[in-house]
């Protein structure tokens, strides 16, 4: 359903398009996914087993929202809807897309001083810092609008009242404007699908192709939300908390009239609060961590000393929910989602210290949509493909990039900034982006080391403060990683290839004790998302089966293509 957000007016122009032959009304600036969800169309593709899938990640990584647009497959969350567009559901055995008159574009060679991948807080900050000192900077982002997952911006087709926007919107608008004013060349709606070397990458859009030959490379690719498979999580109407927030903040659309949130971390409380402020009923916010205040005094004190303004923002979210009568159920989780063809109810239960549901505590809550947010996993596939050293963070259990305080990696010409290298939040990412940008300037002899240090003195202080805050936040929301704890034998762990938990466990019982071996036997991780959502679960299962700890090489091996492309595009990239 459509909602209003303070400071953003509804678009003046509406127009029709068709979905499976049915006329649908869209608003100017909608993505195809937003327009369909606003009109109650949740199921967008069909699997080989005949089940339906809908929007899940909302950021172009999972491919669950793939549809056919004017005869060609496309991700509905990434493509803007157009007047008269013909959209159909992606069927399990699609007819080959039309190729008449289709010519694979010859890649344009782009050789900037610095290539920045990612248009979120870290990438924008790094790009602006470098371009303001005269460097030739190219920034590539998969979305057509800059801002990333944190600074989600409303469509420019909507009339904006900047003074009424919230601080997150305003900060994003300011940083995006700074990037444009600095002269950064921005290539939006482009996907990097190959990283052969730090100075040889390939990217494509629907109409163009690029061969990228930068002197220096800054990776600001952000993170994906951690997936926790549980019964019913593939139903249309079940999506990540980030996807719901993108619909709300970028498209002024809610996934439903009654939306339940469950998981672990502060994003869920923010999204629940924003939904309530937009007039959506939130029957409950279900949080895995123990939020009882007397158990979190030390964490709260750390956070208050480090960033009182952020503590105030968090308190305002909690008060919004309290005033609306939204119960916050901590030490709990959604353990099952029910519905015929779409999410209709969620079963919630208390969890014990190991993350297992406590018998007798189950309750069922009716809902139109379920948003799951269990934290984040760095999007490090490009850094890994380039050979940058990584290590396992003992606190989060995620693979993080080994880097200097300025973001430089073990590969001399590559910097990794923001959550792409380790989850520290958007505010730390923005500061690290500026610090890395200054380090690149020094490496290219635009600044001396002393000048670079002077330029970023205040940013380094801010970064230290935000890291202290993040440390307190991590302690507040500390919880046992659930991995496959909520899954049953028939629960799909790999969404793309429909691989169930029992299939994976069977592969390990046969002696295939690595994630890679399980992938080859079951096809888990071979789908279009390339294991972004099933990899943590498969790695955890493999580690448990082998009785070994997780290390840098426990996961699926990174390889080209990083994202799905046609054979023709691969051939064009390798020919001169």
């Amino acid at each position: 359903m459509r909602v209003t957000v303070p400071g953003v007016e509804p678009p003046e122009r509406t127009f029709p398009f068709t979905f499976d032959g049915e006329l649908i009304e869209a608003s100017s600036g909608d993505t195809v996914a937003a327009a369909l969800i606003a009109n109650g169309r949740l199921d967008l593709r069909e699997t080989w087993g005949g089940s339906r899938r809908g929007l899940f990640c909302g950021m172009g990584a999972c491919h669950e929202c793939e549809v056919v647009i004017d005869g060609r497959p496309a991700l509905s969350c990434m493509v803007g809807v157009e007047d008269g567009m013909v959209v159909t559901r992606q069927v399990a055995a699609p007819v080959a897309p039309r190729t008449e008159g289709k010519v694979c574009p010859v890649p344009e060679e782009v050789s900037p001083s610095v290539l920045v991948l990612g248009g979120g807080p870290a990438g924008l900050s790094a790009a602006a810092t470098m371009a303001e000192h005269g460097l030739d900077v190219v920034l590539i982002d998969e979305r057509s609008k800059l801002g990333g997952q944190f600074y989600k911006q409303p469509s420019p087709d909507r009339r904006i009242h900047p003074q009424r926007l919230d601080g997150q919107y305003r900060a994003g608008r300011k940083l995006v404007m700074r990037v444009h004013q600095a002269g950064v060349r921005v290539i939006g709606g482009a996907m990097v699908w190959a990283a052969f070397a730090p100075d040889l990458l390939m990217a494509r859009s629907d109409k163009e192709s690029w061969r990228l030959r930068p002197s220096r490379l800054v990776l600001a690719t952000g993170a994906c939300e951690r997936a926790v498979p549980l019964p019913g999580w593939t139903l249309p109407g079940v999506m990540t908390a980030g996807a719901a927030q993108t619909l709300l903040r970028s498209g002024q659309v809610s996934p439903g009239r009654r939306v339940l949130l469950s998981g672990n971390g502060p994003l869920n409380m923010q999204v629940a609060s924003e939904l309530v402020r937009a007039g959506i009923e939130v029957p409950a916010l279900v949080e895995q961590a123990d939020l009882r205040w007397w158990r979190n005094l030390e964490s709260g004190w750390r956070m208050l000393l480090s960033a009182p303004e952020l503590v105030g923002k968090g308190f305002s979210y909690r008060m919004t929910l309290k005033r609306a009568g939204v119960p916050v159920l901590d030490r709990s989780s959604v353990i099952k989602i029910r519905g015929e063809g779409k999410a209709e109810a969620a079963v919630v239960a208390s969890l014990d210290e190991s993350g297992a549901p406590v018998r007798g505590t189950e309750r069922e809550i009716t809902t139109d949509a379920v948003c799951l947010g269990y934290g984040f996993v760095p999007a490090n596939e490009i850094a890994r493909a380039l050979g940058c050293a990584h290590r396992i963070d003992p606190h989060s259990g995620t693979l993080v990039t080994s880097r200097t305080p300025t973001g430089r990696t073990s590969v001399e010409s590559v910097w990794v900034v923001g959550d792409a290298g380790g989850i520290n939040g958007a505010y730390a990412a923005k500061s690290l982006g500026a610090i890395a940008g200054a380090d690149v300037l020094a490496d290219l002899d635009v600044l001396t080391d002393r000048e670079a240090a002077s330029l970023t003195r205040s940013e380094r202080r801010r970064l230290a403060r935000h890291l202290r805050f993040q440390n307190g936040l991590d302690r507040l929301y500390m919880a046992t990683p659930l991995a496959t704890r909520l899954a049953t034998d028939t629960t799909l762990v790999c969404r793309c290839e429909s691989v169930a938990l029992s299939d994976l466990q069977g592969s390990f019982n046969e002696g295939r004790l690595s994630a890679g071996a399980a992938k080859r036997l079951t096809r888990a991780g071979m789908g279009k998302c390339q294991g972004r959502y099933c990899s943590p679960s498969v790695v955890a299962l493999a580690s448990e089966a082998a009785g070994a700890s997780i290390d840098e090489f426990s996961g699926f091996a990174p390889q080209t293509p990083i994202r799905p492309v046609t054979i023709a595009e691969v051939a064009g990239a390798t020919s001169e």
Side-chain angles (χ1 to χ4, degrees):
M1 64 176 289
R2 296 197 182 274
V3 296
T4 57
V5 174
V8 183
E9 290 190 5
E12 297 179 359
R13 189 170 75 92
T14 61
F15 52 83
F17 73 104
T18 61
F19 178 62
D20 276 359
E22 182 181 357
L23 208 60
I24 303 290
E25 184 180 81
S27 294
S28 179
D30 280 348
T31 63
V32 173
L36 290 172
I37 290 171
N39 285 275
R41 307 305 189 273
L42 301 177
D43 55 321
L44 306 179
R45 80 172 183 93
E46 182 182 275
T47 70
W48 288 103
S51 63
R52 297 284 176 85
R53 301 286 175 80
L55 179 78
F56 180 66
C57 77
M59 56 185 290
C62 73
H63 289 255
E64 290 284 62
C65 69
E66 190 168 61
V67 293
V68 179
I69 299 177
D70 295 335
R72 297 193 63 81
L75 298 180
S76 62
C77 70
M78 303 296 284
V79 177
V81 69
E82 296 179 4
D83 193 350
M85 187 178 267
V86 177
V87 182
T88 57
R89 185 176 287 107
Q90 175 68 279
V91 297
V95 176
R98 296 198 308 262
T99 57
E100 62 270 17
K102 175 70 175 178
V103 178
C104 187
V106 176
E108 174 193 350
E109 185 139 326
V110 179
S111 303
S113 299
V114 187
L115 174 65
V116 178
L117 300 186
L124 293 173
S125 182
T129 299
M130 293 181 291
E132 286 166 349
H133 286 79
L135 283 185
D136 172 25
V137 180
V138 171
L139 185 151
I140 288 185
D141 193 73
E142 293 188 354
R143 293 185 175 277
S144 57
K145 294 180 292 185
L146 294 177
Q149 288 297 98
F150 184 73
Y151 289 137
K152 299 177 177 77
Q153 295 295 300
S155 168
D157 293 339
R158 287 149 168 79
R159 186 178 177 187
I160 307 298
H161 301 279
Q163 69 279 6
R164 294 178 54 207
L165 294 173
D166 66 26
Q168 195 165 317
Y169 272 132
R170 291 197 305 272
R173 284 170 62 83
K174 182 178 179 180
L175 190 52
V176 169
M177 187 179 300
R178 183 183 161 202
V179 164
H180 288 304
Q181 290 174 343
V184 175
R185 178 185 174 185
V186 176
I187 302 176
M191 175 184 69
V192 174
W193 60 268
F196 299 114
D199 60 350
L200 179 55
L201 301 94
M202 299 299 302
R204 61 169 288 270
S205 69
D206 288 340
K207 299 179 180 178
E208 297 178 86
S209 180
W210 297 270
R211 182 182 289 113
L212 306 164
R213 307 300 301 260
S215 174
R216 302 293 186 273
L217 177 63
V218 176
L219 301 177
T221 47
C224 294
E225 287 185 72
R226 185 195 294 268
V228 173
L230 52 88
W233 77 305
T234 59
L235 283 169
V238 180
M239 64 187 68
T240 66
Q245 190 181 51
T246 297
L247 285 172
L248 184 67
R249 294 183 70 86
S250 294
Q252 291 73 63
V253 169
S254 170
R257 297 179 181 277
R258 184 176 166 88
V259 182
L260 177 73
L261 292 98
S262 178
N264 174 229
L267 175 63
N268 299 331
M269 187 169 290
Q270 179 181 352
V271 176
S273 171
E274 290 173 348
L275 286 167
V276 166
R277 290 171 181 170
I280 300 302
E281 182 182 358
V282 176
L285 168 62
V286 189
E287 169 56 51
Q288 186 190 352
D290 187 342
L291 297 182
R292 290 176 292 183
W293 65 268
W294 61 87
R295 293 177 61 92
N296 293 290
L297 286 175
E298 182 181 353
S299 300
W301 183 246
R302 286 171 181 256
M303 294 161 63
L304 188 61
L305 288 177
S306 302
E309 72 282 6
L310 298 183
V311 173
K313 185 180 294 187
F315 184 72
S316 73
Y317 297 150
R318 187 66 182 260
M319 291 307 297
T320 295
L321 299 183
K322 185 174 182 178
R323 285 193 294 268
V326 177
V328 178
L329 310 176
D330 65 351
R331 294 159 287 154
S332 303
S333 177
V334 166
I335 62 170
K336 183 185 297 185
I337 301 165
R338 294 177 175 158
E340 292 295 327
K342 63 182 182 69
E344 295 173 341
V347 178
V348 175
S350 299
L351 303 181
D352 62 23
E353 290 186 1
S354 71
V358 178
R359 286 187 179 183
T361 64
E362 300 89 348
R363 70 184 88 173
E364 184 168 299
I365 301 174
T366 59
T367 184
D368 299 327
V370 179
C371 301
L372 302 175
Y374 286 90
F376 299 91
V377 177
N380 54 25
E381 55 270 13
I382 295 178
R384 293 177 65 217
L386 293 174
C388 299
H390 287 74
R391 59 181 175 80
I392 294 292
D393 176 31
H395 300 294
S396 65
T398 60
L399 197 62
V400 300
T401 309
S402 299
R403 49 186 175 167
T404 69
T406 61
R408 197 168 198 170
T409 71
S410 60
V411 178
E412 284 293 300
S413 60
V414 179
W415 281 253
V416 174
V417 294
D419 286 348
I423 307 302
N424 285 307
Y427 298 100
K430 179 176 179 292
S431 292
L432 182 56
I435 293 167
D439 197 44
V440 174
L441 289 168
D443 189 58
L444 292 173
D445 296 325
V446 176
L447 297 178
T448 65
D449 290 341
R450 185 173 181 176
E451 287 170 335
S454 176
L455 177 67
T456 59
R457 186 173 292 113
S458 60
E459 288 292 358
R460 282 183 279 120
R461 286 197 296 267
R462 274 192 287 269
L463 176 60
R465 183 167 66 92
H466 288 309
L467 290 177
R468 288 194 300 270
F469 175 84
Q470 188 66 35
N471 182 264
L473 196 65
D474 290 344
R475 288 173 176 269
L476 175 65
Y477 281 98
M478 187 177 295
T480 303
L482 293 177
T484 57
R485 198 63 189 264
L486 303 179
T488 64
D489 286 348
T490 58
T491 301
L492 298 184
V493 175
C494 174
R495 299 173 63 102
C496 298
E497 295 294 315
S498 296
V499 181
L501 176 62
S502 59
D503 298 326
L504 286 164
Q505 289 174 327
S507 73
F508 296 127
N509 292 338
E510 292 180 17
R512 277 76 168 185
L513 300 181
S514 72
K519 177 179 181 179
R520 290 186 290 273
L521 189 65
T522 67
R523 294 191 59 82
M526 288 190 182
K528 289 188 175 182
C529 94
Q530 290 292 283
R532 286 173 177 82
Y533 291 95
C534 69
S535 176
S537 295
V538 177
V539 169
L541 288 169
S543 173
E544 182 180 352
S549 58
I550 298 173
D551 62 24
E552 179 180 358
F553 303 104
S554 295
F556 302 144
Q559 53 191 327
T560 295
I562 297 167
R563 293 292 179 93
V565 290
T566 64
I567 295 296
E569 286 169 314
V570 175
T574 55
S575 63
E576 293 293 338

